[in-house]
Amino acid sequence: MNKNSIDLSIDFCGVNFKNPFLLSSSPVSNSAEMVARSFDAGWSGVVFKTLNSDTVPIIHPSPRMYGYGYGRKKLVGLQNVEMISDRPLKDNLADFLYLKKKYPGHVLISSIMGFSNDEWAYLAKASEDNGADMLELNFSCPHMAVEGAGHHVGQAFDLIEKFTTTVKECVSIPVIAKMTPNITDMTEPAIYAKNGGADAISAINTVSGISGIDLDAIVPTPNIFGLSSNSGTSGPVIKPIGLRFISDMAKCDELSLPLSGIGGIETWIDALEYILLGASTIQVTTGIIHYGYDIVEDMIEGLTDFMVEKKIAKLSDLVGKALGSLKTTDQFDLKRQGCSVYDLEKCVGCGQCYTVCKDAGGFALEWDEKKRQPVLIEDKCLSCMICSFVCPVKDLITFKEMPENWKREDAVVMDESLKTKIKYEPFKNFIK
Amino acid sequence: MDKRFDYSQAAAEADRCLLCHDAPCSKGCPANTDPGKFIRKFKLKNIKGAIRTIKENNIMGGACGVLCPTSKLCEKECCSSELDRPIRIGKIQEFLVRYGKDIEFQVFEKPEALLEKVAVIGSGPAGLSCGAELAKKGYQVTVFEKESEPGGVLRYGVPAYRFDKELLSQELDDIKHLGVKFECDCDIKNPGEAEELLNKGFKAVFIATGLWDAATILSNPPDGVYNSVEFLLNSHTEQMDILNNEVKNKKVAVIGGGSVAMDCAGLASKFQASDVYLVYRRSFCQMPAEKDELFDTLEDNVHFMILNQPKEYIKDQDGRLTGIKLIRTRLSDPDGTNRRSPVEIKDSQWVLDVDLVVEAIGNKAFDNSNDLYPDVDVDDKNLIKASLDDCQTSNKAIFAGGDIVRGPSLVVNAVQDGKTAADAMDSYLKKGRTNNE
Ligand SMILES: Cc1cc2nc3c(=O)[nH]c(=O)nc-3n(C[C@H](O)[C@H](O)[C@H](O)COP(=O)(O)OP(=O)(O)OC[C@H]3O[C@@H](n4cnc5c(N)ncnc54)[C@H](O)[C@@H]3O)c2cc1C
Ligand SMILES: Cc1cc2nc3c(=O)[nH]c(=O)nc-3n(C[C@H](O)[C@H](O)[C@H](O)COP(=O)(O)O)c2cc1C
Ligand code: SF4
C-alpha cells in the first residue's frame, strides 16, 4: 500500500469532503480572502465566522485574547472574549458567493446565531440562498450576555430543539448543532438538537475559564481597560474535554448522528484521536492561530502515512475505532498488575524520578548517590508511572506486567504500636 | 565533536524553532533542503513527512547534516540567534535521516526507468545527487566509479571518526533503491573515454570526478612525507593498519590551515601520534578551516605552529625524513583584507624534528584530466568550465558539477550541482525527443 491508495475523503451528512480538515468558525474563517488561502493550503472546507444579522452592532472588546503559556510552550491555551462576526451581513454573503464560485469543490458551512426565532430563520435562509452547503447553529458562544443567545441556549435544552426546528423548516441543506462544553452531559442537549431535526453535532466550543490575572492591575486576563470576564478557553489544554464529549456522543445509541470534533487540534495525531473516538470531520481554530494554515499539510501527510503504515485505505474505517475499548472503570481487569521498568544505561542522573516517587508515588526508588541513579524496588512500585512523565529520556522508564502471584507491598505504617490506640469500628453497610 | 542527538534532544531542539515566515534558514541552504519546512513538520509530529522533505530535496541529507559548515549556511540565518543561539539544524537533520532507518521508513517509491540511458562519472556527492534525481525522473542511470566503492570524498576522504560509513551506506541504499546502477573499479581513464560514452548508448553524461591530485609544497619529498590525499585515502583502505603503525608514537607535522589539514591532524592524533604539529605560514585567524574544526583540532592536542613557513626536508643517510626546516614569519602590513601575506623573518630558521609529514595544502585536478574529455573546455587550473545555472559544458551533451567545476568546495554545493545538472539534462534530452518527433 502506498500514499496514492489512501482515500482521505469522507461523507458527512451526504456532503463529500476531500479530507476531514475544516476551519472552525472564528477569526481564522473571518473573510473569503482568508478562507481562499486556507483552501489553497489544503483545508477541505470552512465553518465561516458566525454571521450576525446587522440588528445589533457587534463591537469586539480590545484586546480580545490572551495567550496561556506553560514554561517554554506558548499558547497551550488561548483565552478570548471575541463576539460573532462584526462584518456587515452583506459583506459575508458576498464572500460566500465568491468562495462558491472560486472553490466549488470545497465545502462552505455557514455558522449562524440568532437572538430570536425569526432571526435564526432569516440567517439560515440567507445562508442557503447564497450558496452555503451546510449550516452550523452556534448554540455555544460563551460571550453572549443576553439570555436566549450563545451558550445560554446551549444550556437551555428546549431552546436548542426549538431553534433547530425553526431552521430545519426553512432550509433543505444539512444542519449541524454546535455544542457548548460548559455543561456536564452533552448527549442530552444533542438529543434535543436531533429531535429538532439536526443532521449532525459539532463539539466543542470554548470552555469557560480564566487563564490568569494581570498582577500589576489585579485584573484577570485579557485585561479590557480594567475589566475582564469569565471567557472562552481553547487550544491544546481543552483537548481532553473535547475528546471526552465526542466519545460520549459517539457511544450514545439514541443520538447516533455524525460528529464534527473540535478542541485543541494542532497535529495529525490530535485529529486522529478525535476520529478514533467517533468524529468524522474535525475543525481547528487555535492551532491555526498558533501556526497558520500550513499545518494542514502536516495533518494530511501525517494521517496518510499512518494509514499506509496500518494498511487502512479509507478514512471512514478509522472513525470510532477506539470506542470499543472505552468502558467504565468497573470493567477493568484489576487482577492484572504491573510496575515500572528502568533502562539505566540511558540515565543522565537528574533524579527527578526519585523526587516524585518519594513525594507523590510509592517511595519505590532508592538513590545511589555515587552513581547518581535510582534503584527500583519493584515490590513497592504503584505503577502510577509519574516517574516516566518527568524523565527527560525517551523510553528510559517503561511499564511491564507482573506475574499473577505478585503482590505489592503495603505502604509503611510509621508506628504499628499506635494501632492499639486508634478509635475504630469496622464499617457496616446497613442499607441493603 | 559533540554527540549525536537522540529523539528527545532532537524534538526539544526542534521545539525551539520559531517557525519563521519565509524561513531564512531555508534560503541559507545551497541545496534547498528546506530546514524551515522539515523542522515545522517534525515539530507538528509529522516525522515521516520531515524525513521525506529532507530526502526529496537532498538525497545526501544525512551526510550534509553531519558535514555542512552550518554556522556559515542555514544556521547563520536563524532568527533564534537574535534571542540566544541558532537552532542546531544540522544535528536535527542528521537525526531525522538516521531515524528514518530506525523506523524502516522507505521515502521513495521505485520509479520506472523508461527513459534514455545516461552516464555519471564519479560517485561523490555531486554524482550521487545527479544520479538519484535522474533516476527519479525515469532515466536509466549508470554511475562509473574508479574506486572499489562509491562515495567519493565521503568514503575516501573525510576521516571515519568524523563521518561514519553506516550513514553513507544508508544513503547509498536509497539511491540504489531508486534504480541507479553502479560500476565500481571502473576508471574512465583513456583519452576521450568520457565523451565516447555518448557513442555507447548514453545520451548524456555528467562528469563529477572531483579533485584527487594533491598540491605539493616542497620538491623531492623523502620517504615519510605524505600528501593529504594518500594519507586520508590509506586510512580508509586495507592500508589503515600500516598507516596507523607508522603514525603511532611518532612525531607528525601537518602542513596547511584548511579543513583538510585539520582532518589530517585530527587523524594523526586519533592514531596516537606522540606529537602532532600543525604548521601554517599565516596566523590563527587567517586559517581557512571552520572555527569549530580549529577548536576540535586544538582539543585533539595538536600543537599549532602558526607563522612558520616550511623551507626544506631534513633526512638521514638512508634518505628518511628526520625533520623539517622552518622559517618564522610575520604578517605583512595591514591591507584591509584577511589575507595579509606572510613575510619571512631573516635568520629565523629552525628545525622541527619529526618522523612523518603530511602536506595538506589543497586538492587539485590532475594535470592530464582534460585528456578524458578533449571536447570539454577547461580553465588554467584544469577545472571544467560550466555555468552553475545548468552545469552544461562546451559539449552540449556533457554536463559537469561538484569540485571539478568549482574547485575545492562543499558537499552541499556538490549536491546542488547534481540537482541542477539533472534538471538541465532532462530539458536537454526532452528537447532532443521533441526534435526527433
Ligand atoms: C578531506 C576532506 C574533508 C572535507 N570535509 C568536508 C566537510 O566537512 N564538509 C563539506 O561540506 N565538505 C567537505 N569537503 C569537501 C567535499 O567533500 C567536496 O566538496 C565534495 O566531496 C565534492 O563532491 P564531488 O562529487 O564533486 O567530488 P568527490 O567527492 O571528489 O567525488 C569524485 C568521485 O569521482 C571518482 N572519479 C574521479 N575520477 C574518475 C574517473 N576518471 N573515472 C571514474 N571515477 C572517477 C572519484 O574516485 C570520486 O569517487 C572535504 C573534502 C576533503 C578532501
Ligand atoms: C477568538 C475566537 C473566536 C471564536 N469565535 C467563534 C464564533 O464566532 N463562532 C463559533 O461557533 N465558535 C467560535 N470560536 C470557537 C472555535 O470555533 C472552536 O470551537 C474553539 O476555539 C475550540 O477549538 P480550538 O481549540 O481548535 O480553538 C471562537 C474561538 C476563538 C479562539
Ligand atoms: S496579529 Fe495582527 S491584528 Fe492581531 S494584534 Fe497583531 S498585528 Fe494586530
Side-chain angles (χ1 to χ4, degrees), chain A residues 125-362:
Chain A
K125 195 82 185 66
S127 302
E128 183 175 45
D129 290 348
N130 291 290
D133 300 300
M134 288 175 118
L135 287 176
E136 185 178 83
L137 311 185
N138 181 352
F139 293 135
S140 44
C141 176
H143 313 131
M144 290 296 156
V146 198
E147 285 302 319
H151 75 162
H152 298 290
V153 178
Q155 293 160 344
F157 303 158
D158 48 335
L159 286 181
I160 292 183
E161 182 170 341
K162 179 172 148 196
F163 294 149
T164 312
T165 311
T166 302
V167 167
K168 279 300 284 185
E169 274 166 4
C170 61
V171 297
S172 57
I173 50 177
V175 171
I176 311 166
K178 181 169 179 179
M179 296 297 167
T180 175
N182 302 318
I183 51 171
T184 36
D185 175 10
M186 200 175 281
T187 55
E188 207 184 334
I191 287 167
Y192 274 85
K194 183 183 184 184
N195 293 342
D199 301 283
I201 306 290
S202 57
I204 54 177
N205 207 313
T206 52
V207 178
S208 269
I210 296 173
S211 56
I213 293 184
D214 170 348
L215 290 183
D216 289 327
I218 317 281
V219 175
T221 46
N223 173 347
I224 296 120
F225 297 103
L227 298 178
S228 192
S229 182
N230 215 322
S231 60
T233 314
S234 59
V237 289
I238 70 164
K239 186 177 81 172
I241 301 169
L243 288 175
R244 172 250 156 153
F245 280 127
I246 285 292
S247 67
D248 279 353
M249 290 190 290
K251 291 182 77 124
C252 174
D253 291 336
E254 194 186 342
L255 182 63
S256 62
L257 285 181
L259 302 171
S260 190
I262 321 169
I265 298 166
E266 280 184 351
T267 68
W268 66 274
I269 296 178
D270 304 322
L272 178 60
E273 286 165 347
Y274 271 93
I275 292 167
L276 292 172
L277 289 173
S280 44
T281 56
I282 69 104
Q283 303 182 24
V284 180
T285 282
T286 307
I288 298 170
I289 288 181
H290 196 165
Y291 301 110
Y293 294 134
D294 284 352
I295 60 172
V296 74
E297 189 189 334
D298 298 312
M299 295 188 176
I300 293 172
E301 194 174 22
L303 185 57
T304 305
D305 280 331
F306 173 83
M307 289 169 71
V308 170
E309 191 183 317
K310 297 286 174 200
K311 299 195 170 54
I312 295 176
K314 281 168 61 73
L315 182 67
S316 46
D317 292 342
L318 283 171
V319 175
K321 233 179 164 355
L323 287 170
S325 56
L326 202 59
K327 301 279 190 230
T328 46
T329 51
D330 56 334
Q331 295 179 59
F332 297 160
D333 182 353
L334 300 180
K335 287 203 285 296
R336 295 177 71 173
Q337 290 286 328
C339 82
S340 61
V341 187
Y342 281 67
D343 176 3
L344 290 174
E345 294 273 291
K346 300 181 181 168
C347 179
V348 297
C350 70
Q352 292 184 80
C353 52
Y354 176 73
T355 305
V356 300
C357 184
K358 171 166 64 73
D359 294 355

Side-chain angles (χ1 to χ4, degrees), chain B residues 112-313:
Chain B
E112 275 192 275
L114 301 172
L115 298 175
E116 291 91 333
K117 278 169 65 178
V118 288
V120 172
I121 309 176
S123 66
L128 293 174
S129 147
C130 184
E133 292 306 313
L134 287 167
K136 281 196 234 165
K137 292 177 197 288
Y139 290 94
Q140 306 171 49
V141 186
T142 309
V143 177
F144 297 97
E145 169 55 53
K146 77 163 188 255
E147 299 295 340
S148 55
E149 282 180 274
V153 172
L154 303 181
R155 185 171 299 275
Y156 296 109
V158 183
Y161 69 84
R162 209 154 65 76
F163 178 72
D164 60 310
K165 301 281 159 34
E166 218 174 290
L167 186 53
L168 177 60
S169 315
Q170 180 190 334
E171 301 206 292
L172 283 170
D173 284 346
D174 292 335
I175 298 167
K176 288 176 190 158
H177 175 80
L178 285 168
V180 175
K181 296 270 170 301
F182 287 91
E183 299 271 352
C184 289
D185 287 320
C186 180
D187 194 354
I188 305 287
K189 60 169 184 266
N190 300 321
E193 203 174 338
E195 282 158 11
E196 266 157 36
L197 291 169
L198 293 171
N199 304 328
K200 292 187 180 159
F202 296 101
K203 297 294 178 215
V205 175
F206 180 60
I207 302 176
T209 43
L211 304 172
W212 289 86
D213 195 13
T216 50
I217 171 160
L218 298 178
S219 45
N220 302 324
D223 270 1
V225 176
Y226 281 86
N227 67 49
S228 61
V229 174
E230 35 179 12
F231 186 71
L232 292 172
L233 184 73
N234 286 359
S235 80
H236 291 290
T237 62
E238 57 278 15
Q239 301 292 312
M240 206 252 303
D241 291 338
I242 302 173
L243 188 70
N244 199 345
N245 276 335
E246 267 182 73
V247 172
K248 197 170 175 179
N249 300 325
K250 300 283 170 47
K251 292 192 283 294
V252 177
V254 175
I255 303 173
S259 306
V260 176
M262 300 308 140
D263 277 348
C264 294
L267 188 64
S269 163
K270 298 277 184 287
F271 281 168
Q272 295 169 303
S274 60
D275 281 287
V276 184
Y277 299 92
L278 190 95
V279 178
Y280 182 59
R281 60 197 181 127
R282 290 187 169 93
S283 185
F284 188 79
C285 40
Q286 273 92 26
M287 288 189 169
E290 299 297 323
K291 286 279 165 296
D292 8 339
E293 288 174 327
L294 291 171
F295 289 113
D296 284 345
T297 311
L298 281 169
E299 277 188 12
D300 278 336
N301 291 320
V302 171
H303 320 305
F304 278 46
M305 312 303 274
I306 53 171
L307 296 166
N308 271 292
Q309 168 86 40
K311 294 299 280 182
E312 166 188 350
Y313 290 121

